[in-house]
Amino acid sequence: MTTTEKNTRIAEEQPQPAVGQAIVLDTLTDLRDAPPGTTFLIQKEVVDYDFNPRFRNGFTLKENITLIFQGGCLMVPSGKAQFYIQGNQTAIEAPIDQIFGEGLDIAGSWLCDRAYPQWFDWRVGKEKENSYDGDHIDCAIAINQAIQMKKSGEVFLASGYYYIATPIRMFAQTRLIGEWRQYSGDEYGGTMIIPYLTDSPSDSPWPDQAIVFINTIKATDDNGNIIKDENGEDKLTWEQVYPVPMGLLKGIVFRNIGNIEEISRIPCCIVEGGFTFEDLLFASFRRCIKWGEHYSDCKTIRRCVFYPIENNIDMGSDICYAIEIRGLGDALRIEQCHISDAGTHDNKGKLTARAFDALYLTGCKGGSIVNNIFNSRVLLQGCMAVNFSQNHLERGSQLTIVACDMTIRNNYFEKTTVPPVVVDLAPDGKLNIPPTKRFKDYEKHHNSNLGISDNIFYIFQPSKSPERFPAKEICEYDIALCVGKGQEPYCIHLQQNYRYIRHENGSNEPTGIFIGTFTRTSGDENTPSITSDYSSFDDFNSRSYFLSTECTITPGLRIDATRTFSEVPSISSIKVWSAPGDIPNAIKSSVPTINLPVDNSWPYKYQAQMIMDSARHIAGPIVDVNVWKDKPTYDSAGGQIFSLSTTPARSAFTLRLIRSKRFQLNEDYVDIPVVGTTYLHDNNISINGYKWRPYLESQPIIGQGPSLPRWIQFRGDNVKCFFNETDLKLSSGWNNYDELVNGSQSFYYLDQWIELNK
């Protein structure tokens, strides 16, 4: 028997542990040489190792070994700085504590329901100091080790402060999950990831292009050199092409505690491919989530809060979006998110300088943006089959739409200094949508085919809310359309869109909306048009009382609508009285001073008129507005309330109110599209947001025609009227092909009425 054969026989005669029977691990050598299926209990620091030349720098485990950690830790062998252990379907059971020593590289495949960064460094997340001082443990190192070990599946961050000085890098299917907590009001905690700079900001900028990279790597050429983009920065691309959208980032607070400008300006998260962001809070970041330009389906953001606690910095010309999603893709979902009015506020809480806008979305070819709160601007460009519904936009937010085919439905828009909804044209007809292999370029002309329905445009004027906008600053238009390029490429179907006003002493009743037009004065493909010069879209606004209920605006700003009034309405009575109490703080500063008569009687005389069609002089008589007998004195503190009764009840028409000081001629007027409205609030600047205007010679009082029609039907630009009188002398203002029925039937053509059948 040779020596080799003898040694082999002795080894075979040694007792071997039964498969599945747990034994206490004593040395790394035992772990290396264990047969498949062995179960080890690790109860101490395991260091000793027999340096076999074949396994000098590490070893690969046999398959299906189980490691149960009971207070022990696998260490780097003595005399080595680095060492690797490669798993082979190796199962781990371990608490949230360190189980791998410093310098130990864990590679291969490991089986565990979740991984913890504390497995690699027990100090991770243990810091309690909630401040920025540049001297912390870089928790990103251990987090990335846990991600690298787990690859796909859950990496759990227990509650704590995770300061990071380098980026976190996630795979496409990594699920990085924390435990977010809110204690009371703005006080929150749980799992916090806090980026910091290792030195002063001027000397040590953040070392990469984002805080968290998800399925994102540097793009390289065939020689391995990093490619630069047009701005000279490293070009990014996806690591896994078209990944299955199983990755998740959830339950974490990302907070820029030091309010560091170098950190706030870079994207917090850059992602490529389908991925889900859920239950996250971003504090003091201007760019929070940014998708790359590759075609990606199933982009999802759900229940995330974008809350700039300390970030009171004006972004100026540097346009930043809390959420920026470029590139084509389907099945987009953004829901139940809250993006605040980030920026600088005055001592009354009013926003004076904006830190970021809310959402920039381009090229989406199917998705939903629902049940969100947007307190900053939203820009949608080149999107199709997108549902923008049940969202709440307030505090200066604005929805801008460029070349989209989508629905805007059941949203709440607060009226502020800008129109809440803008339908814009792309500069030079070009859209800023990245080309793909299937779509090399876009045509220069794009239609916006929109369904806008069941939306509320709200003027919020409660007392004790000084952060709201003064009445004189509120824009009169609810929707604005960009014009000036010939045949405006719009097809917009409007249905059931109304304006409301909230006032403590007035009812919450609807009126019609107003549409304005504008010409682009500045801005590029990344920003909404910037202008404050709006013109009235008179063809719509003069008939808003029924067009707000339903109509279609077609290319060239033509209006297609049909509405029949079987009975032309009239004003039964209209009364006015002073609204008691203090005027809302939001409008107090803009209310003009009124010199009251000595007897404190009313300084104004009011008159009212029902108007169906001002151009054709289809209008009722001018009637006096009576002061309500129970409140005969005038009190300017709360403005005025008008009470309107009509026949039939709650009719729709344009109500013109005229005011003049006592013993003077008419001074001001306002046209209000009432849609069954019975109460209106006047703050002396506007009534329900429709502004008082001075009478000019070009805007005389509309005289009543010789007779009111019995019924009237509007059909596009034309009308059809039925009169009881057979002998009529109608005024000018009629359009070709208008129809008249009064014993016979006539139509209007070339400035004359032509009777049919003659």
Side-chain angles (χ1 to χ4, degrees):
M1 181 182 295
T2 64
T3 302
T4 302
E5 291 173 337
K6 181 178 180 180
N7 293 336
T8 301
R9 180 178 177 181
I10 293 173
E12 291 174 348
E13 291 175 353
Q14 296 295 321
Q16 299 293 325
V19 174
Q21 178 181 346
I23 61 175
V24 176
L25 181 65
D26 188 47
T27 69
L28 292 175
T29 304
D30 295 337
L31 181 60
R32 180 195 67 193
D33 297 337
T38 304
T39 299
F40 285 107
L41 302 178
I42 303 172
Q43 300 173 341
K44 66 175 184 177
E45 290 186 355
V46 181
V47 179
D48 295 339
Y49 183 65
D50 177 13
F51 283 99
N52 186 310
R54 292 176 53 196
F55 308 107
R56 181 171 298 276
N57 297 317
F59 56 85
T60 300
L61 297 172
K62 304 297 190 302
E63 64 183 9
N64 298 325
I65 285 178
T66 299
L67 304 180
I68 302 175
F69 289 85
Q70 297 179 338
C73 182
L74 300 181
M75 306 296 291
V76 172
S78 300
K80 301 288 289 186
Q82 297 289 328
F83 196 75
Y84 77 85
I85 298 178
Q86 181 162 314
N88 185 4
Q89 297 297 304
T90 305
I92 287 182
E93 297 179 18
I96 307 177
D97 203 353
Q98 188 159 351
I99 62 173
F100 301 119
E102 183 178 357
L104 192 62
D105 181 18
I106 301 300
S109 59
W110 301 82
L111 304 179
C112 52
D113 58 349
R114 58 175 62 171
Y116 306 91
Q118 288 83 0
W119 284 355
F120 300 87
D121 189 341
W122 67 271
R123 302 169 299 172
V124 169
K126 297 296 193 297
E127 293 187 74
K128 296 300 182 183
E129 185 177 0
N130 189 5
S131 64
Y132 170 79
D133 59 17
D135 185 17
H136 298 281
I137 299 167
D138 183 7
C139 297
I141 297 172
I143 294 173
N144 287 332
Q145 287 176 304
I147 292 172
Q148 185 67 36
M149 175 187 179
K150 186 65 177 171
K151 294 183 177 61
S152 64
E154 181 177 341
V155 175
F156 183 74
L157 303 183
S159 177
Y161 298 110
Y162 294 79
Y163 289 86
I164 62 173
T166 52
I168 295 172
R169 302 182 185 276
M170 299 172 58
F171 297 106
Q173 278 81 40
T174 300
R175 301 171 70 85
L176 186 61
I177 299 175
E179 44 184 354
W180 188 92
R181 298 174 182 173
Q182 183 174 13
Y183 302 115
S184 63
D186 295 338
E187 185 180 355
Y188 53 84
T191 303
M192 283 195 185
I193 293 180
I194 305 166
Y196 72 97
L197 303 181
T198 56
D199 207 334
S200 62
S202 59
D203 297 332
S204 179
W206 184 257
D208 215 320
Q209 295 164 267
I211 308 300
V212 180
F213 290 93
I214 303 168
N215 192 35
T216 306
I217 57 174
K218 311 278 187 180
T220 58
D221 58 21
D222 294 337
N223 298 320
N225 300 315
I226 296 177
I227 301 172
K228 300 292 183 180
D229 62 18
E230 60 274 11
N231 299 319
E233 296 184 351
D234 295 344
K235 186 175 182 179
L236 302 176
T237 188
W238 48 15
E239 183 176 21
Q240 181 178 345
V241 177
Y242 300 110
V244 176
M246 300 298 292
L248 173 67
L249 191 58
K250 178 178 180 178
I252 298 172
V253 175
F254 290 91
R255 188 170 183 185
N256 180 11
I257 285 183
N259 197 25
I260 305 166
E261 186 68 5
E262 287 80 1
I263 289 178
S264 70
R265 286 186 176 276
I266 65 174
C268 184
C269 300
I270 289 182
V271 56
E272 289 280 9
F275 192 83
T276 297
F277 296 88
E278 185 173 282
D279 300 332
L280 303 173
L281 187 149
F282 297 89
S284 298
F285 292 94
R286 298 189 183 196
R287 294 179 168 96
C288 302
I289 298 174
K290 180 180 179 180
W291 252 279
E293 298 182 352
H294 290 95
Y295 186 104
S296 302
D297 297 332
C298 299
K299 306 180 182 90
T300 302
I301 305 174
R302 183 185 299 118
R303 295 191 303 272
C304 293
V305 179
F306 304 81
Y307 188 36
I309 297 176
E310 303 96 350
N311 201 343
N312 291 327
I313 304 171
D314 184 7
M315 68 180 177
S317 60
D318 184 13
I319 304 298
C320 304
Y321 289 91
I323 302 173
E324 184 175 337
I325 306 177
R326 299 173 182 267
L328 300 174
D330 309 329
L332 168 84
R333 294 183 67 182
I334 302 175
E335 59 189 25
Q336 294 180 299
C337 294
H338 182 187
I339 303 180
S340 71
D341 53 340
T344 302
H345 298 75
D346 60 19
N347 57 5
K348 295 182 178 180
K350 181 181 175 183
L351 183 69
T352 58
R354 193 178 299 277
F356 60 52
D357 285 338
L359 170 64
Y360 179 27
L361 174 65
T362 66
C364 178
K365 296 300 178 270
S368 62
I369 305 171
V370 299
N371 297 318
N372 301 285
I373 301 173
F374 295 122
N375 291 347
S376 296
R377 292 176 294 195
V378 175
L379 173 57
L380 308 181
Q381 188 180 72
C383 298
M384 299 177 66
V386 171
N387 177 28
F388 189 91
S389 299
Q390 288 92 42
N391 299 294
H392 190 108
L393 290 85
E394 62 178 15
R395 295 180 180 270
S397 61
Q398 183 180 60
L399 172 64
T400 299
I401 302 159
V402 182
C404 292
D405 188 330
M406 58 180 293
T407 59
I408 301 100
R409 187 168 183 266
N410 282 116
N411 299 287
Y412 174 109
F413 296 100
E414 181 186 2
K415 288 182 60 60
T416 60
T417 58
V418 295
V421 177
V422 172
V423 183
D424 204 351
L425 297 173
D428 301 321
K430 298 179 180 178
L431 298 180
N432 186 29
I433 300 176
T436 67
K437 293 180 180 179
R438 285 179 285 178
F439 301 93
K440 293 295 184 183
D441 197 3
Y442 279 75
E443 298 179 359
K444 286 190 174 182
H445 301 286
H446 303 267
N447 288 349
S448 277
N449 300 310
L450 308 173
I452 304 177
S453 65
D454 302 292
N455 297 288
I456 292 173
F457 297 87
Y458 210 72
I459 299 178
F460 191 71
Q461 293 185 341
S463 61
K464 301 179 182 179
S465 295
E467 75 276 7
R468 300 294 177 174
F469 296 89
K472 64 181 179 181
E473 297 181 13
I474 293 178
C475 180
E476 190 167 20
Y477 301 108
D478 305 277
I479 299 174
L481 308 177
C482 186
V483 298
K485 295 193 175 184
Q487 297 294 313
E488 286 74 19
Y490 305 136
C491 185
I492 305 172
H493 186 72
L494 299 169
Q495 187 174 15
Q496 300 286 112
N497 299 288
Y498 299 115
R499 181 189 298 184
Y500 292 80
I501 183 171
R502 181 184 186 276
H503 185 267
E504 294 171 341
N505 301 305
S507 65
N508 187 19
E509 294 187 324
T511 53
I513 63 172
F514 267 11
I515 297 179
T517 61
F518 69 99
T519 302
R520 174 183 283 273
T521 57
S522 63
D524 57 27
E525 65 273 11
N526 296 315
T527 63
S529 294
I530 302 171
T531 183
S532 59
D533 186 13
Y534 299 98
S535 300
S536 174
F537 184 15
D538 289 335
D539 286 350
F540 179 93
N541 297 337
S542 63
R543 294 180 290 167
S544 171
Y545 64 91
F546 74 87
L547 295 179
S548 294
T549 300
E550 187 168 13
C551 73
T552 302
I553 300 174
T554 60
L557 299 187
R558 293 182 292 271
I559 297 177
D560 183 11
T562 299
R563 175 70 180 271
T564 300
F565 293 85
S566 58
E567 181 178 354
V568 174
S570 61
I571 298 174
S572 301
S573 68
I574 182 167
K575 300 180 178 64
V576 63
W577 68 86
S578 291
D582 189 21
I583 198 167
N585 291 331
I587 60 175
K588 180 181 293 184
S589 61
S590 62
V591 172
T593 301
I594 299 177
N595 296 320
L596 295 177
V598 177
D599 60 358
N600 199 37
S601 58
W602 282 77
Y604 283 122
K605 178 183 73 173
Y606 295 96
Q607 294 179 303
Q609 185 179 25
M610 182 282 298
I611 300 173
M612 296 290 286
D613 190 299
S614 57
R616 297 175 176 87
H617 287 252
I618 302 175
I622 297 174
V623 299
D624 290 330
V625 178
N626 299 316
V627 176
W628 192 31
K629 63 180 181 178
D630 293 340
K631 296 184 178 180
T633 59
Y634 181 80
D635 179 7
S636 64
Q640 290 75 246
I641 298 294
F642 288 88
S643 173
L644 175 66
S645 297
T646 64
T647 303
R650 294 187 174 271
S651 297
F653 55 88
T654 296
L655 173 67
R656 172 164 290 189
L657 288 174
I658 306 161
R659 73 179 180 187
S660 60
K661 291 185 178 179
R662 296 198 308 176
F663 312 115
Q664 294 185 15
L665 297 176
N666 300 321
E667 290 187 340
D668 306 304
Y669 79 99
V670 59
D671 287 341
I672 308 159
V674 296
V675 287
T677 317
T678 57
Y679 290 95
L680 300 163
H681 178 254
D682 176 19
N683 56 37
N684 298 319
I685 294 291
S686 63
I687 296 182
N688 284 39
Y690 309 96
K691 294 186 178 181
W692 287 100
R693 286 179 166 78
Y695 258 111
L696 303 175
E697 291 184 0
S698 59
Q699 297 167 321
I701 297 176
I702 297 175
Q704 181 185 358
S707 176
L708 282 175
R710 181 176 175 181
W711 59 260
I712 183 170
Q713 182 183 69
F714 293 89
R715 298 178 298 185
D717 293 333
N718 295 106
V719 298
K720 181 177 182 180
C721 298
F722 178 85
F723 288 89
N724 287 328
E725 293 82 356
T726 57
D727 185 17
L728 287 174
K729 296 181 180 180
L730 298 177
S731 60
S732 60
W734 298 81
N735 292 340
N736 287 339
Y737 308 113
D738 283 347
E739 292 186 52
L740 170 66
V741 179
N742 61 330
S744 61
Q745 187 172 2
S746 305
F747 69 92
Y748 195 80
Y749 187 70
L750 297 179
D751 299 328
Q752 60 179 328
W753 288 98
I754 301 175
E755 188 174 344
L756 298 179
N757 301 324
K758 274 194 176 183

